[in-house]
Amino acid sequence: MVQFHEHIITDLLEDPTGGLVILSSGLSLPKLVSSLLLLHHPSQGTLLILSPSPSLKSQILHHLKTHHHFSPENHQITEITAELPSHYRLSLYSSGQICFITARILIVDLLTNKIPVTNLSGLILLNVHSLSEASTEAFIARILKTLTQSIYIRAFTDKPHAIVAGFSKTERIMKSLYIKKLHLWPRFQVYVSEELERAPPEVVDVRVPMTKYMLGIQKAIVEVMDACLKEMRKTNKVDIDDLTVENGLFKSFDEIVRRQLDPIWHILGKKTKQLVSDLKTLRKLLDYLVRYDAVSYLKYLDTLRVSESFRSVWIFAESSFKIFDHAKKRVYRLARSNDTKVNGLSKNTLGKKRKLKRDDDNEEKADGASSTGTNSEVILEEVLEAAPKWKVLREILEEIEEERQKQALSREDLVESEEVDSGIIVVACKDECSCMQLEDFITNGHQKVLREEWEKYLLSKVELRHLQIPQKKKHKPRESKGFGILDGVVPVTTTKNAESTSVNKQEHDALLAAASEIRNRCRRDYIVDDEPQALVDSKHQKGRGKGQDKRGRRKNALNSRNKDDDANNKVARSDKPEISSSERKGQIADNYPAIADGYPENSLKSASIDQGDIRRRTQQPSSAYRNAKQIPPVHFYAQESDQPILDILKPSVIIVYHPDMTFVREIEVYKAENPSKKLKVYFLFYEDSTEVQKFEASIRRENGAFESLIRQKSLMMIPVDQNANCLGLDSSMESQPSSSQNSITRKAGGRKEVEKEMQVIVDMREFMSSLPNVLHQKGMRIIPVTLEVGDYILSPLICVERKSIQDLFMSFTSGRLYHQVETMVRYYRIPVLLIEFSQDKSFSFQSASDIGDDVTPNSIISKLSLLVMHFPRLRIIWSRSLHATAEIFASLKANQDEPDEAKAIRIGVPSEEGIVENDVRAENYNTSGVEFLRRLPGVTDSNYRAIMDGCKSLSELALLPVERLTELMGGQKAARTLRDFLDAKYPTLL
């Protein structure tokens, strides 16, 4: 264990009531928690760990079980789930073990008195930055502190920037959890920095120059982002200090902007709303530029063009044209045969012998590989620009292998070297998709990887053409240069438009011709699969067989061509700037890479890996890379998986392909735990890129968060005697009896009446929301049960079905709401539909722009109107927030009896015979028959019960005379109306 973890644990143990620990990101929170758990002994009582995320839980268990002090007798770890019966859960609460438990199970067991609180030693809360005063965790803390003061509550988080968001969030969380002490452990803390810098690893900082087109795309995106931010500033609705390009690089930027705009979201114009969405899209574009290959990036841009072209603001900015244009030039370009002599030979040859397309496997020599079948002037040249980091990664791996071979020859004492150097190399990427692609690249080379992506891209073009023929017409004007709405640029002239449209048509035709050619080739290749085994072997040298000769007889010639092309490629690339690598053995502390802001898009992943997969994947190296320099075996690690990979593999070389602040600090902690181990770390950065900017900004942002926390801690006001004994009715509820005391002074000498405790029966599923917590704060007793009808039972007459706005829309769509209201109307005299808004959002059901003039079936207002017309007794309550709902519930219960728990549970639950016990009006009669009866002319709400009592069935009703109907229906007119309706003949044409 690192020493600063010992200091943190010592500080926590000094205060028996607990504390809040805020760590820098990456300083091994799971290890800290597992070390704290090792100090727990069954004699202290049961220790509950509340709602950890699955990855955090697995890491804690891993560190706990690998620790040499771990003993299964003293540290038994179980998980309490809803599937466990209540008596078994009770035994676990009394066992003295360490238990993982969810907040919903724990709060229900606390409210039903199924937990012996005296047997609990403490509560551990993780990811405390996501909590609030109204969360279920705060509810649990309040009840536990009310029942016993001896229990401790320890809370942890390693997201300092998230816990400073909002007004004094840290102080409010501490008060709601009854925590008095705050422990701050930033990376610049003395104990932390001294220990991590005592034996730092050897660091190699490799700055990779970006290609010309990548720099162009990055510059264009930043320009568009800046233009969007300028437009946003004009709205005067957002704090200008937050609207910077640097802040826009982080995912939390969306949250900052939405938090400010949510209360007025309903009055914002469409353009402002779209700008918020556009900034999110632009941030993804910047992130994906340095993360994915050129073809995948172009494919993603194509999807954006289709999905966002009509409503988007950024796509019409002046610079957005450059983004699409440069992305296209990284993959292919169009050339005319009369302009370039170089491609003439390629094109003419192709015109005569199209088979060469299948045999060509190189990015440079495939210039004229695809040409338009009808238009002979335009040739599609494939560029397929490889990511600059790919080449550098391979060079680093080759260099590592050379160094190892030299050391193996020069070193005599091999046994010691094996102990010091494990020989394991880890390449850390942002996501799983990047890992798979890099693995493919190291196995097969960049040419084949890009070729496969390119062919999948072309095949998807053909599929789109067959699926959506009209889409082709819509595409053409989009390809042209945009109207500079943001920059105020004059639209393009008509002649340019005409020219660009014709070029786009030629380009589109060229792409479709190339794609159909690949598809035809694939079909031919599938037919050839039945040929002798030798041919199959020659195909499977690359796994998917692209670029291999179908018949096998040209194989040697092709291999030699590939080698020549490799040499040509190296010569062609020699004019690129050299990689400036500076080795620094000093502090790794200044080398924090950017915070994890990536989110792999499933669509991108599936598009770049699964779609159009023609051949099986194998790990055999391609023929072009067989004679290349040897590289050592490599382990690829996706940072998003959150696995303790360093402790499992114990690598000696780590290549940080996508720099990430959290992962780099994990490397620091790993090196501090193994000071004698030789460790070399390579950082791969794109020079002059937003990757570096984001990397540096993440450190500044976290340091700023800790500086803010240090200031807050010095000014924080936490009551020294803070406990939960002052709970009960709040001041607004307590003021009522005192004000009415004058009216009862003559009764028994002014003795105050004992106020009855309010009770609310709550459905178990409602504990996912925060409303039960707020009701409990109001002094109401919460009774959790499983209800078949309704969510909240306020009295024997009032039943409430609670819906959030999102849930309301979904319930209308699925038809669930109609059924729920129907059962409430059947069993309760006052059925209530509560529509609850979020406190931080506008108290507006729809924007003014969304409300139409006509009644339409899709309109939510129309659906609500139909619901109320169908169920006239239904009452609708609109609530602004949770606290407003609690006030409404208190006022509704003011003159009502308390609800009966046993009866509420029984309602709606049929017995084995299908009849509900003690039910006066539900399944004891034919529901559909009653509905039919109530729709007959003359039958009203006041007389339908008398009709049901007077006759047993609808067939008997049809035979009753008018005199008997008059008695049952209470009037001659109603009886005559019904009789005429029943006796009326059906008119015919005969």
Side-chain angles (χ1 to χ4, degrees):
M1 185 167 65
V2 283
Q3 286 181 4
F4 65 85
H5 279 183
E6 292 180 17
H7 288 295
I8 296 171
I9 291 170
T10 307
D11 290 349
L12 278 174
L13 295 177
E14 281 176 2
D15 191 350
T17 60
L20 170 60
V21 176
I22 303 177
L23 272 173
S24 270
S25 181
L27 294 186
S28 293
L29 178 61
K31 286 184 185 176
L32 174 64
V33 175
S34 59
S35 302
L36 190 62
L37 296 181
L38 287 168
L39 300 175
H40 177 75
H41 193 270
S43 60
Q44 297 170 354
T46 305
L47 177 59
L48 299 176
I49 304 175
L50 202 57
S51 304
S53 61
S55 64
L56 203 55
K57 185 169 71 177
S58 64
Q59 287 188 64
I60 290 170
L61 290 171
H62 169 79
H63 292 308
L64 206 54
K65 287 172 183 174
T66 53
H67 207 285
H68 58 277
H69 288 306
F70 177 75
S71 62
E73 300 82 24
N74 293 337
H75 305 108
Q76 289 186 20
I77 299 171
T78 53
E79 186 170 0
I80 299 176
T81 60
E83 285 75 27
L84 296 176
S86 56
H87 67 276
Y88 187 60
R89 292 208 300 268
L90 179 63
S91 65
L92 286 174
Y93 292 135
S94 310
S95 64
Q97 297 179 10
I98 300 167
C99 301
F100 290 107
I101 189 168
T102 61
R104 183 169 159 237
I105 298 169
L106 183 55
I107 189 63
V108 169
D109 283 352
L110 275 172
L111 290 170
T112 51
N113 297 320
K114 289 179 183 173
I115 297 181
V117 180
T118 51
N119 291 346
L120 297 181
S121 67
L123 190 68
I124 288 182
L125 295 163
L126 304 168
N127 296 327
V128 84
H129 58 271
S130 60
L131 304 186
S132 66
E133 306 102 307
S135 59
T136 310
E137 286 81 358
F139 193 5
I140 291 166
R142 186 165 67 251
I143 292 178
L144 286 174
K145 284 291 184 181
T146 309
L147 296 172
T148 174
Q149 286 294 313
S150 61
I151 195 168
Y152 63 80
I153 297 174
R154 290 172 184 153
F156 299 88
T157 181
D158 57 356
K159 302 281 187 300
H161 59 273
I163 207 165
V164 293
F167 181 71
S168 63
K169 184 176 179 180
T170 311
E171 187 175 339
R172 287 186 284 121
I173 287 175
M174 288 177 68
K175 283 181 179 176
S176 63
L177 295 176
Y178 302 91
I179 292 173
K180 299 175 191 172
K181 284 202 174 179
L182 176 64
H183 307 281
L184 301 176
W185 287 86
R187 170 63 180 77
F188 55 80
Q189 211 270 353
V190 178
Y191 293 128
V192 180
S193 57
E194 278 183 1
E195 185 166 9
L196 296 185
E197 291 163 16
R198 193 173 294 135
E202 183 184 348
V203 178
V204 181
D205 191 356
V206 182
R207 300 293 171 124
V208 184
M210 297 170 80
T211 62
K212 179 178 68 175
Y213 292 132
M214 286 175 76
L215 286 169
I217 292 171
Q218 178 180 284
K219 184 182 175 187
I221 294 174
V222 171
E223 283 175 7
V224 176
M225 191 181 271
D226 196 35
C228 286
L229 289 169
K230 280 177 185 170
E231 285 293 311
M232 186 85 83
R233 288 191 197 104
K234 291 178 187 175
T235 61
N236 295 326
K237 301 286 194 298
V238 189
D239 186 3
I240 295 174
D241 296 339
D242 292 329
L243 296 181
T244 61
V245 173
E246 185 175 286
N247 282 343
L249 299 176
F250 295 101
K251 194 177 180 182
S252 60
F253 178 76
D254 305 332
E255 298 164 15
I256 294 168
V257 174
R258 281 306 297 261
R259 195 186 305 122
Q260 295 184 36
L261 292 178
D262 270 342
I264 53 168
W265 191 253
H266 63 296
I267 61 170
L268 290 177
K270 285 185 178 178
K271 186 176 179 183
T272 309
K273 291 179 180 178
Q274 189 56 45
L275 282 169
V276 177
S277 173
D278 287 349
L279 287 167
K280 183 177 179 181
T281 305
L282 290 167
R283 191 191 65 244
K284 284 185 185 178
L285 282 176
L286 269 180
D287 191 29
Y288 293 167
L289 176 65
V290 294
R291 206 197 296 185
Y292 295 115
D293 62 276
V295 185
S296 299
Y297 194 71
L298 180 62
K299 192 181 291 186
Y300 181 61
L301 277 173
D302 280 355
T303 61
L304 287 182
R305 177 177 278 156
V306 173
S307 61
E308 297 198 355
S309 57
F310 293 110
R311 61 178 187 274
S312 176
V313 178
W314 75 271
I315 217 163
F316 293 109
E318 170 74 9
S319 303
S320 68
F321 169 73
K322 296 177 188 171
I323 300 173
F324 290 94
D325 188 49
H326 289 331
K328 217 180 285 178
K329 286 177 179 173
R330 292 176 70 198
V331 181
Y332 66 87
R333 64 176 182 266
L334 295 177
R336 297 183 183 277
S337 55
N338 51 10
D339 292 342
T340 47
K341 295 179 182 178
V342 181
N343 297 328
L345 176 63
S346 167
K347 177 194 160 289
N348 293 336
T349 314
L350 242 155
K352 295 173 187 174
K353 200 168 185 178
R354 192 62 75 97
K355 278 182 193 173
L356 284 177
K357 172 72 179 74
R358 288 196 310 278
D359 299 333
D360 200 337
D361 189 38
N362 297 302
E363 58 177 60
E364 311 293 349
K365 284 216 173 181
D367 290 325
S370 311
S371 68
T372 56
T374 55
N375 190 355
S376 59
E377 291 184 0
V378 178
I379 305 165
L380 193 68
E381 292 186 17
E382 296 171 9
V383 180
L384 300 183
E385 176 183 282
K389 274 190 183 181
W390 287 7
K391 183 182 174 186
V392 176
L393 177 65
R394 186 167 187 92
E395 287 175 0
I396 289 172
L397 291 172
E398 288 171 358
E399 179 188 318
I400 292 168
E401 184 63 22
E402 283 178 13
E403 284 180 10
R404 289 199 174 160
Q405 288 176 359
K406 286 177 187 174
Q407 286 175 3
L409 292 171
S410 61
R411 189 175 295 162
E412 296 174 0
D413 198 356
L414 291 176
V415 180
E416 287 183 11
S417 69
E418 283 173 11
E419 289 176 2
V420 176
D421 189 0
S422 63
I424 291 173
I425 301 168
V426 169
V427 176
C429 305
K430 189 78 81 182
D431 53 31
E432 200 67 44
C433 178
S434 303
C435 288
M436 293 175 72
Q437 194 170 52
L438 281 181
E439 192 173 356
D440 200 10
F441 152 68
I442 285 180
T443 308
N444 297 322
H446 62 84
Q447 298 165 0
K448 292 190 178 181
V449 173
L450 288 171
R451 164 75 54 182
E452 287 156 10
E453 295 293 344
W454 170 238
E455 294 192 359
K456 279 183 257 178
Y457 173 76
L458 288 175
L459 287 171
S460 67
K461 286 271 183 189
V462 175
E463 288 166 16
L464 276 176
R465 186 192 186 198
H466 285 291
L467 286 173
Q468 301 173 350
I469 297 169
Q471 196 69 28
K472 184 180 169 187
K473 291 180 183 176
K474 292 179 187 174
H475 258 300
K476 284 190 279 188
R478 282 186 222 145
E479 301 274 350
S480 61
K481 186 172 181 179
F483 309 102
I485 288 177
L486 290 178
D487 304 313
V489 176
V490 182
V492 197
T493 58
T494 52
T495 52
K496 286 185 182 177
N497 267 334
E499 185 186 342
S500 63
T501 306
S502 62
V503 168
N504 288 332
K505 187 177 185 313
Q506 291 176 343
E507 177 183 338
H508 196 66
D509 290 345
L511 284 169
L512 288 176
S516 56
E517 186 178 342
I518 290 172
R519 195 173 56 170
N520 294 336
R521 188 194 77 200
C522 292
R523 285 175 184 165
R524 288 197 294 270
D525 285 355
Y526 275 124
I527 295 167
V528 177
D529 279 348
D530 297 329
E531 291 193 10
Q533 185 65 33
L535 305 181
V536 177
D537 287 341
S538 71
K539 272 177 62 177
H540 279 337
Q541 298 213 347
K542 183 201 165 189
R544 264 165 278 201
K546 291 188 177 68
Q548 302 293 335
D549 186 45
K550 184 175 72 175
R551 295 173 187 168
R553 65 168 180 258
R554 292 170 53 87
K555 184 179 161 192
N556 294 331
L558 177 64
N559 285 347
S560 62
R561 276 179 61 190
N562 280 339
K563 288 173 192 171
D564 294 340
D565 290 339
D566 263 359
N568 292 338
N569 290 344
K570 286 179 182 174
V571 172
R573 293 210 175 112
S574 62
D575 57 348
K576 288 189 180 178
E578 287 292 319
I579 295 150
S580 57
S581 66
S582 55
E583 293 196 12
R584 291 190 292 108
K585 295 189 179 181
Q587 299 178 351
I588 191 174
D590 300 329
N591 263 346
Y592 303 139
I595 195 154
D597 187 29
Y599 23 74
E601 296 290 322
N602 290 334
S603 58
L604 235 172
K605 185 172 175 180
S606 61
S608 59
I609 294 174
D610 301 332
Q611 186 182 1
D613 234 349
I614 305 165
R615 298 280 188 270
R616 212 178 304 136
R617 296 182 79 91
T618 64
Q619 293 302 318
Q620 294 179 354
S622 68
S623 56
Y625 270 74
R626 276 184 184 165
N627 296 330
K629 292 181 182 177
Q630 284 189 348
I631 56 170
V634 179
H635 295 267
F636 289 90
Y637 167 63
Q639 292 161 1
E640 66 182 13
S641 63
D642 290 331
Q643 295 299 318
I645 192 77
L646 302 178
D647 295 302
I648 295 168
L649 293 179
K650 298 197 178 299
S652 56
V653 177
I654 301 169
I655 302 171
V656 186
Y657 189 83
H658 292 136
D660 173 74
M661 181 174 69
T662 306
F663 182 65
V664 173
R665 287 187 176 151
E666 286 172 14
I667 296 173
E668 291 186 283
V669 174
Y670 164 69
K671 183 65 175 75
E673 289 175 335
N674 305 279
S676 61
K677 185 175 181 62
K678 284 186 179 179
L679 179 64
K680 195 168 186 178
V681 182
Y682 292 87
F683 290 119
L684 267 64
F685 282 111
Y686 279 118
E687 202 167 11
D688 302 325
S689 69
T690 51
E691 187 178 41
V692 179
Q693 191 180 351
K694 186 175 169 184
F695 160 76
E696 293 165 349
S698 60
I699 312 157
R700 287 196 296 273
R701 190 170 69 142
E702 191 184 84
N703 289 346
F706 269 111
E707 287 164 12
S708 170
L709 284 167
I710 291 166
R711 282 194 301 273
Q712 278 185 46
K713 186 177 179 180
S714 64
L715 303 170
M716 204 173 277
M717 295 179 68
I718 301 288
V720 177
D721 58 343
Q722 172 167 268
N723 56 44
N725 294 335
C726 57
L727 286 173
L729 299 175
D730 65 2
S731 56
S732 63
M733 299 291 290
E734 286 175 348
S735 62
Q736 292 173 6
S738 59
S739 62
S740 62
Q741 191 165 345
N742 290 333
S743 62
I744 58 169
T745 50
R746 292 178 184 240
K747 296 178 184 178
R751 187 180 67 202
K752 203 159 55 167
E753 290 181 356
V754 179
E755 190 154 336
K756 185 173 61 174
E757 185 184 29
M758 288 186 175
Q759 295 181 357
V760 179
I761 297 173
V762 182
D763 184 37
M764 295 276 196
R765 288 158 291 214
E766 274 299 301
F767 284 93
M768 300 296 284
S769 76
S770 300
L771 183 56
N773 180 12
V774 179
L775 293 174
H776 187 265
Q777 278 180 322
K778 284 283 175 190
M780 299 183 195
R781 184 181 165 221
I782 307 296
I783 305 170
V785 296
T786 303
L787 295 175
E788 285 296 318
V789 179
D791 291 331
Y792 297 85
I793 310 298
L794 304 185
S795 76
L797 306 178
I798 303 175
C799 172
V800 179
E801 180 69 36
R802 176 187 161 275
K803 296 286 180 193
S804 63
I805 299 297
Q806 185 181 6
D807 194 20
L808 181 72
F809 278 80
M810 290 170 62
S811 298
F812 266 125
T813 307
S814 64
R816 186 162 50 96
L817 183 59
Y818 179 88
H819 175 69
Q820 289 170 331
V821 173
E822 188 180 34
T823 52
M824 281 200 300
V825 169
R826 185 182 300 167
Y827 294 111
Y828 289 94
R829 188 172 297 173
I830 309 175
V832 178
L833 174 64
L834 168 70
I835 299 174
E836 194 173 80
F837 291 78
S838 180
Q839 189 167 359
D840 56 347
K841 297 195 176 179
S842 60
F843 187 42
S844 164
F845 194 54
Q846 279 183 304
S847 301
S849 57
D850 295 338
I851 300 173
D853 298 332
D854 300 328
V855 176
T856 59
N858 297 328
S859 167
I860 189 73
I861 298 292
S862 304
K863 291 177 179 178
L864 270 175
S865 306
L866 285 170
L867 190 71
V868 175
M869 288 168 65
H870 196 79
F871 302 104
R873 285 195 294 111
L874 177 68
R875 301 288 174 258
I876 297 181
I877 291 177
W878 306 84
S879 172
R880 181 182 286 275
S881 66
L882 296 169
H883 296 279
T885 305
E887 295 281 356
I888 292 166
F889 280 10
S891 58
L892 286 175
K893 286 178 62 64
N895 300 314
Q896 296 279 337
D897 295 330
E898 293 305 324
D900 183 2
E901 182 182 346
K903 188 178 177 185
I905 296 172
R906 235 181 8 250
I907 283 179
V909 182
S911 62
E912 291 179 2
E913 295 82 21
I915 297 171
V916 178
E917 295 176 16
N918 302 329
D919 187 13
V920 269
R921 15 187 330 221
E923 274 85 357
N924 292 345
Y925 52 72
N926 181 2
T927 311
S928 56
V930 174
E931 292 290 326
F932 182 80
L933 172 67
R934 293 184 64 179
R935 282 165 172 74
L936 294 176
V939 180
T940 62
D941 284 344
S942 57
N943 63 20
Y944 82 95
R945 290 182 185 278
I947 297 172
M948 290 194 314
D949 293 337
C951 57
K952 294 180 180 176
S953 65
L954 287 169
S955 59
E956 187 179 325
L957 173 69
L959 300 173
L960 285 179
V962 178
E963 295 78 15
R964 178 65 179 148
L965 282 175
T966 306
E967 292 176 22
L968 294 176
M969 299 179 73
Q972 177 76 28
K973 186 179 177 182
R976 176 55 60 190
T977 305
L978 180 59
R979 188 73 261 164
D980 290 346
F981 173 78
L982 293 171
D983 293 343
K985 293 182 179 179
Y986 184 75
T988 64
L989 296 173
L990 299 174

